[in-house]
Amino acid sequence: PGTHMREVIEALERKGHTVIKFIAGDDEGLNRPNTNIERTGFKALFKWLTPDWIWQSLKDWDLKRCDKRYARKLERLIESERPDVIYERAYYLMASGVITAKKFGIPLIMEMNAPYTEEKIYLEGKSFFIQQSHAIEKLQVQSADKIYVVSSALLGYFQKRYPDVVEKIVVIPNAINPFKSYSNSALLA
């Protein structure tokens, strides 16, 4: 995901656009290693003793808390920078970009790379917040001014779930950057 976003940013900048980055994963401390072994051991034991749907619900609750923090930071950034458009990569349970764009009346371009709720259930299991995540996905899709998806299969998924928004969905498959050189082995990997 990081590679794709960096490539989109570079492409926009090559076209002469000023891009102001707001990357949720760059929060202070997120890249700092956890040196408290006892807490790490406790967390592993707690996870092992907790039913999976409760563990997933706790993770999702924490994700929602982060989203609220990101909303406040995004609002401050918008107030200071006054962007013309927001280009957001959608994510499971994360509504701050959509809500903030609506609040400030800024057009929103949404990049969607997976059916996130279905992916969450398949890869990690169910959570207390699954129904809410479906509602957030619907909000993301209906609120975006334009939606970019990475495959025709994903377009089909959204076509079935939200037939009224198909006209604003564009398929842009992941591809090789023509401005960079690649070795044959890198292309085959």
Side-chain angles (χ1 to χ4, degrees), residues 169-182:
I169 300 176
V170 178
V171 178
I172 301 180
N174 288 331
I176 295 172
N177 182 340
F179 297 100
K180 294 187 178 176
S181 60
Y182 301 90

Side-chain angles (χ1 to χ4, degrees), residues 160-172:
K160 286 179 187 169
R161 288 190 64 93
Y162 314 103
D164 54 325
V165 300
V166 172
E167 73 282 348
K168 63 180 171 181
I169 300 176
V170 178
V171 178
I172 301 180

Side-chain angles (χ1 to χ4, degrees), residues 110 112 137-149 154-171:
M110 183 73 65
M112 301 186 93
E137 178 185 86
K138 184 176 182 179
L139 175 69
Q140 290 170 328
V141 169
Q142 291 179 335
S143 299
D145 295 284
K146 187 64 87 177
I147 301 167
Y148 294 121
V149 297
L154 192 53
L155 171 63
Y157 167 83
F158 288 117
Q159 237 169 351
K160 286 179 187 169
R161 288 190 64 93
Y162 314 103
D164 54 325
V165 300
V166 172
E167 73 282 348
K168 63 180 171 181
I169 300 176
V170 178
V171 178

Side-chain angles (χ1 to χ4, degrees), residues 14-84:
R14 272 195 307 276
K15 291 288 187 181
H17 299 285
T18 300
V19 177
I20 301 154
K21 299 174 197 95
F22 179 76
I23 303 169
D26 275 353
D27 220 356
E28 303 87 36
L30 287 178
N31 297 320
R32 200 173 32 231
N34 185 352
T35 56
N36 187 340
I37 294 171
E38 293 160 351
R39 183 175 172 120
T40 303
F42 174 77
K43 183 178 176 182
L45 177 63
F46 182 74
K47 181 180 178 184
W48 183 73
L49 292 172
T50 305
D52 192 51
W53 74 271
I54 293 175
W55 180 255
Q56 294 304 323
S57 297
L58 290 170
K59 282 177 40 182
D60 287 355
W61 178 74
D62 191 49
L63 186 62
K64 289 176 62 53
R65 284 181 43 233
C66 287
D67 193 40
K68 286 184 183 191
R69 265 195 337 267
Y70 296 143
R72 289 189 297 272
K73 288 181 179 183
L74 182 57
E75 284 184 17
R76 287 192 300 270
L77 182 64
I78 287 171
E79 287 169 347
S80 69
E81 298 294 337
R82 303 283 183 206
D84 296 323

